[in-house]
Amino acid sequence: MSDNIPATASTDPASVITGASILLDQVSKRYPGQAKAAVDGLTMEIPAGKIVMLVGPSGCGKTTTLKMINRLIEPTEGRIVLDGDDVTGINGDDLRRRIGYVIQAGGLFPHMTVATNIAIVPKMLGWSKDRVAARVDELLELVSLDPAQYRDRFPRELSGGQQQRVGVARALAADPPVLLMDEPFGAVDPITRVRLQDELISIQKELQKTIVCVTHDFDEAVKLGDWIAIFTEGAQLVQYDTPERILAEPANEFVENFIGAGAGLKQLTLTRVNEVELQSAVTASPGDLSSDVLSRLDQQGHDHAVIIDGRNRPLQWLSRRQLARLERIGSTRDPRLPVVGERATLNDALDIMLVSSVGAALVTGGRDSFRGVVDVETIMVAMSQAHARARTSHAEGKPVGINTGALTALDGPHDGTAPLRSADRGAGGE
Ligand SMILES: Nc1ncnc2c1ncn2[C@@H]1O[C@H](COP(=O)(O)OP(=O)(O)O)[C@@H](O)[C@H]1O
Ligand SMILES: [Mg+2]
């Protein structure tokens, strides 16, 4: 479905939602021999096409909740409703074909190639060989892996981040409306994690799936989530709200502690690179004469040129000094290029700038195409604006509350803009 959408479609807010809504209706899980329920009467609605992050301390029931949605774990009580259909009783294997599942390090089968791993569900669905092969390549492109280079590799021949990308491609193979992710970026280094997060955001912009993602990292939840559900033990919902409102109005002391120190600074995590004004740059291509590039720098009063490849992806960022040493521009990609996705947060951008010597970063959009340059000064200005905004605006629609007993909206009609939440018995909230 995404084949015809150009990389720039990410600016279109009206792109089609392909996700399905999910309703957990009074769902409980009691493991044999456990005194307390791992998930205790949880009711929450996950709106179609949104990313909902489940956060909370270890052992609070996040993974159990997630696995009950695709019935890797059978609920002891309650119903799971997918786009209005009660799927609690249907065959679990059929259900799992409609729900992609991503775990840490991708969970790839080590003895299968990348292509075979991705093709598992399409093959089970009886797709033709050609269709499967085309789909594998399309998905590899989507997760920014060159199909020719990677489709025949084995998982051990990939970095952790690349394995994770393949895991996402595999989960998306049959175009399921729902994607479940359990701490997907927990096993990769911080820089790779930021890239994978940015990629997930840009994939989601294109595909508009319903994504339920478990994390123990509150900053990750703020960055990725349209909504964040904060759990305590027994998957009791303490707060289910937008990142903005959780930061501005934590429901209780537990949430405050969970958010941690510096909630004010975390507002920075709410501003994304594409919300600030980018600087333009002089661009050039491999093969260009350095002297031509230098004279264009002179004309436009710039000190650096961004070298882009045939698909507008940045390869190098060269200073006048570096250009002066070259006759023609080369085509290699500088692995240390300070690049940040346009959906990255200002926090991420700052991190990346701080390790680059330039005090600025290259911004890329869909499928890594070059958009412009963001510098430290721009971020400083945006920071103070974000702080000012955070103090004044909490006016959007309120979340809809419910009791675990019945799905009754307390705050007017449920229009899909606010999540249902269980009135957490005694755990806080409104
Ligand atoms: N297979 C199992 N058998 C018994 N208890 C389990 C099992 N899986 C999880 N639990 C328990 O259920 C609770 C919730 O676990 P889990 O959903 O994995 O939490 P989280 O993902 O938030 O860390 C924990 O107390 C855990 O020990
Ligand atoms: Mg877990």
Side-chain angles (χ1 to χ4, degrees):
M1 49 135 291
S2 62
D3 357 14
N4 302 319
I5 300 178
T8 50
S10 60
T11 50
D12 178 14
S15 43
V16 189
I17 293 174
T18 64
S21 66
I22 304 164
L23 172 65
L24 302 173
D25 181 15
Q26 297 183 69
V27 174
S28 295
K29 177 66 190 181
R30 259 174 275 279
Y31 290 108
Q34 302 279 319
K36 286 185 173 170
V39 174
D40 193 3
L42 172 65
T43 296
M44 68 186 287
E45 193 189 274
I46 291 151
K50 300 278 186 210
I51 301 185
V52 170
M53 304 297 291
L54 310 183
V55 295
S58 178
C60 69
K62 303 180 296 292
T63 295
T64 304
T65 299
L66 199 71
K67 286 183 169 174
M68 285 194 292
I69 295 174
N70 68 358
R71 298 240 314 286
L72 282 170
I73 292 176
E74 293 287 341
T76 317
E77 280 160 33
R79 294 189 310 148
I80 311 283
V81 181
L82 209 62
D83 249 358
D85 292 336
D86 187 340
V87 293
T88 327
I90 79 161
N91 179 297
D93 289 335
D94 291 341
L95 182 64
R96 284 188 284 278
R97 276 172 215 147
R98 291 160 59 183
I99 301 180
Y101 187 52
V102 182
I103 59 172
Q104 218 169 72
L108 303 177
F109 295 112
H111 58 289
M112 291 181 185
T113 63
V114 163
T116 317
N117 264 288
I118 295 174
I120 291 172
V121 173
K123 277 183 186 158
M124 282 195 309
L125 294 173
W127 292 16
S128 73
K129 243 181 143 174
D130 289 351
R131 186 174 169 207
V132 170
R135 182 67 178 153
V136 165
D137 285 4
E138 179 189 36
L139 285 160
L140 284 172
E141 293 266 358
L142 181 72
V143 298
S144 303
L145 291 173
D146 177 15
Q149 203 180 336
Y150 291 102
R151 69 165 89 81
D152 296 321
R153 290 203 190 176
F154 286 92
R156 65 173 179 275
E157 298 168 316
L158 304 176
S159 71
Q162 289 168 338
Q163 290 183 28
Q164 195 59 65
R165 290 194 173 97
V166 176
V168 171
R170 183 175 68 178
L172 288 168
D175 206 16
V178 173
L179 205 57
L180 307 179
M181 312 181 91
D182 198 348
E183 309 216 15
F185 311 132
V188 296
D189 64 90
I191 300 221
T192 307
R193 185 177 313 143
V194 167
R195 276 209 61 124
L196 291 173
Q197 289 168 344
D198 295 346
E199 242 164 49
L200 180 68
I201 291 167
S202 93
I203 288 172
Q204 170 67 352
K205 276 248 142 193
E206 273 190 41
L207 303 186
Q208 309 249 356
K209 302 292 181 189
T210 304
I211 299 179
V212 188
C213 180
V214 166
T215 180
H216 60 260
D217 175 357
F218 186 74
D219 291 338
E220 180 167 272
V222 169
K223 177 175 176 182
L224 297 178
D226 294 305
W227 297 98
I228 299 176
I230 300 180
F231 288 151
T232 56
E233 202 183 321
Q236 293 295 300
L237 257 181
V238 186
Q239 194 165 14
Y240 186 21
D241 215 327
T242 60
E244 287 83 353
R245 272 191 303 242
I246 289 176
L247 285 170
E249 301 162 26
N252 60 21
E253 207 175 320
F254 173 82
V255 177
E256 274 170 33
N257 290 335
F258 195 74
I259 290 171
L265 256 188
K266 286 191 170 105
Q267 299 281 356
L268 262 190
T269 310
L270 293 170
T271 307
R272 301 189 192 270
V273 171
N274 64 359
E275 294 166 40
V276 303
E277 202 171 328
L278 301 183
Q279 264 102 56
S280 63
V282 169
T283 58
S285 303
D288 288 356
L289 276 173
S290 285
S291 52
D292 288 351
V293 181
L294 278 166
S295 60
R296 282 200 285 131
L297 287 179
D298 288 339
Q299 281 161 22
Q300 301 186 36
H302 283 248
D303 290 321
H304 291 80
V306 180
I307 313 306
I308 51 174
D309 70 7
R311 292 167 62 180
N312 201 31
R313 296 177 299 198
L315 296 172
Q316 301 169 48
W317 199 8
L318 301 179
S319 64
R320 287 169 177 277
R321 242 192 31 227
Q322 289 170 305
L323 283 163
R325 288 200 295 260
L326 296 170
E327 193 195 343
R328 284 184 189 275
I329 308 291
S331 61
T332 50
R333 184 179 190 282
D334 176 359
R336 289 161 313 163
L337 210 55
V339 174
V340 66
E342 64 179 350
R343 299 282 300 167
T345 67
L346 295 189
N347 260 348
D348 297 337
L350 261 183
D351 282 351
I352 284 166
M353 285 176 199
L354 292 177
V355 298
S356 87
S357 50
V358 192
L362 303 179
V363 178
T364 55
R367 307 205 175 184
D368 295 336
S369 66
F370 178 60
R371 292 272 199 271
V373 173
V374 61
D375 62 18
V376 173
E377 289 74 25
T378 308
I379 290 194
M380 293 306 163
V381 171
M383 268 176 169
S384 50
Q385 287 169 351
H387 281 210
R389 262 205 319 274
R391 281 196 297 274
T392 54
S393 75
H394 307 294
E396 307 159 49
K398 273 188 74 82
V400 179
I402 50 159
N403 287 310
T404 45
L407 285 174
T408 324
L410 299 181
D411 270 321
H414 183 58
D415 57 5
T417 60
L420 295 167
R421 57 193 287 280
S422 67
D424 30 81
R425 289 154 296 176
E430 292 109 6

